[in-house]
Amino acid sequence: MREPGIVVAGSANMDLVGLAERLPVPGETVLGDDFLMVPGGKGANQAIAAARAGGRCTFLGAIGSDAFGVSLKARLTASGVDTTHLRVSYGSSGVAVIMVDRHGENSIIVSPGANSTFTDLTAAERAAIGDADVLVCQQEIPVATVTEAARVARAAGTRVVLNAAPARPLPPELLAAVDLLVVNENEARAVTGLPEPDLGALLALAPLVVLTLGADGARYAERDGRDERIPAYRVEVADSTAAGDAFTGALAVAWGEGRDLVEAVRWAAAAGAVCVRTVGASVSLPTRADIDALYGGG
């Protein structure tokens, strides 16, 4: 099977992870169990996930001139991601403060830092998108940049996957260039403006949709009427922080390889399931062999 070219345009953050018996309620202090500092960010995580899943991955984004930036670039490079176009912006890198409880549930606050300076695309970055099989974007960088990247991809015939996270409304000009929309239930509510996830409303926004449902698996649908439910893999959950990133990165690789999208979603679900077994974002992203082992075991 050929190695697909994946370009991820997105964020890179240093994740400051605190683990505790339970998450605090507003105004409460909870004594924690442990603390980890792990390179992350939805864009960087998805780039690493794609590279580990077997893609030839290039990352487009920005890091700060601080020590966090050095660590972020080192993690991307060590994971096999091409960082040729990675920008360094004077000042702080993006930071995510993450709280995780004993059941793997989390709460996250993100400070964009250098990610907010990624406001346009260079000619070289446009060329990288045009040469790729699949472009993957999220919403932790300026929406104008996401829109520009998607338009460049559409013009070049590169397929566009948008993971609409963090949850917020999507501009019509961006949606017009998206091939496959990936959302969880909260994100589905945000992008449709409806109180409950509505597959029909999502398909009005994008021709192909994956709705992830956590422990209930996922649902894949197309405008032509195809609607498939994909069950979740049953595993012990340690930390769900990067599960969606593992899923999206693996999905892009499987689609870039030419797999049927239902099969691609099943394989991506295995990637997400492997990921939740380990605490920490980028350190938990599975290799292709890890994904295949769970996928093959069914």
Side-chain angles (χ1 to χ4, degrees):
M1 194 170 288
R2 72 184 187 88
E3 182 182 49
I6 311 295
V7 169
V8 177
S11 60
N13 299 321
M14 183 59 72
D15 292 347
L16 309 179
V17 185
L19 292 90
E21 175 69 27
R22 61 179 178 83
L23 299 178
V25 299
E28 181 186 23
T29 299
V30 172
L31 187 64
D33 297 327
D34 203 355
F35 172 78
L36 301 171
M37 190 166 67
V38 185
K42 294 198 73 63
N45 287 344
Q46 290 176 17
I48 293 171
R52 290 182 176 172
R56 177 173 42 83
C57 188
T58 297
F59 179 65
L60 307 181
I63 55 175
S65 56
D66 54 3
F68 286 168
V70 175
S71 297
L72 290 168
K73 182 176 183 179
R75 175 59 58 86
L76 285 161
T77 302
S79 300
V81 177
D82 183 349
T83 58
T84 300
H85 305 291
L86 181 61
R87 306 180 189 187
V88 178
S89 176
Y90 181 78
S92 64
S93 297
V95 173
V97 179
I98 304 172
M99 297 180 291
V100 182
D101 70 13
R102 289 279 180 86
H103 303 288
E105 293 296 328
N106 63 72
S107 294
I108 306 173
I109 296 175
V110 177
S111 176
N115 296 305
S116 63
T117 70
F118 186 28
T119 55
D120 55 13
L121 295 176
T122 65
E125 290 166 341
R126 286 169 171 265
I129 292 170
D131 289 340
D133 294 297
V134 181
L135 169 71
V136 181
C137 295
Q138 324 77 36
Q139 298 203 97
E140 287 184 344
I141 59 174
V143 68
T145 309
V146 177
T147 302
E148 183 182 2
R151 283 175 166 172
V152 170
R154 171 55 61 88
T158 299
R159 285 168 284 184
V160 179
V161 175
L162 176 64
N163 176 210
R168 60 183 177 182
L170 301 172
E173 56 270 25
L174 170 57
L175 287 167
V178 171
D179 296 299
L180 174 60
L181 180 66
V182 180
V183 289
N184 64 21
E185 293 175 280
N186 287 333
E187 293 149 8
R189 296 184 187 99
V191 300
T192 62
L194 298 174
E196 295 298 330
D198 185 299
L199 203 59
L202 291 169
L203 287 169
L205 303 178
L208 308 173
V209 170
V210 175
L211 175 63
T212 59
L213 302 168
D216 292 326
R219 197 168 167 187
Y220 170 71
E222 302 176 356
R223 280 181 182 164
D224 68 3
R226 191 178 190 187
D227 184 351
E228 302 276 354
R229 290 184 177 272
I230 291 87
Y233 292 83
R234 301 302 174 187
V235 296
E236 185 173 343
V237 178
D239 180 8
S240 63
T241 301
D245 297 332
F247 179 96
T248 303
L251 177 62
V253 170
W255 196 21
E257 289 173 345
R259 301 194 201 192
D260 175 81
L261 267 167
V262 172
E263 180 193 350
V265 172
R266 290 194 180 104
W267 195 69
V274 174
C275 176
V276 302
R277 293 170 170 172
T278 304
V279 175
S282 59
V283 295
S284 66
L285 298 168
T287 65
R288 189 179 184 92
D290 293 332
I291 301 169
D292 284 340
L294 184 58
Y295 180 72

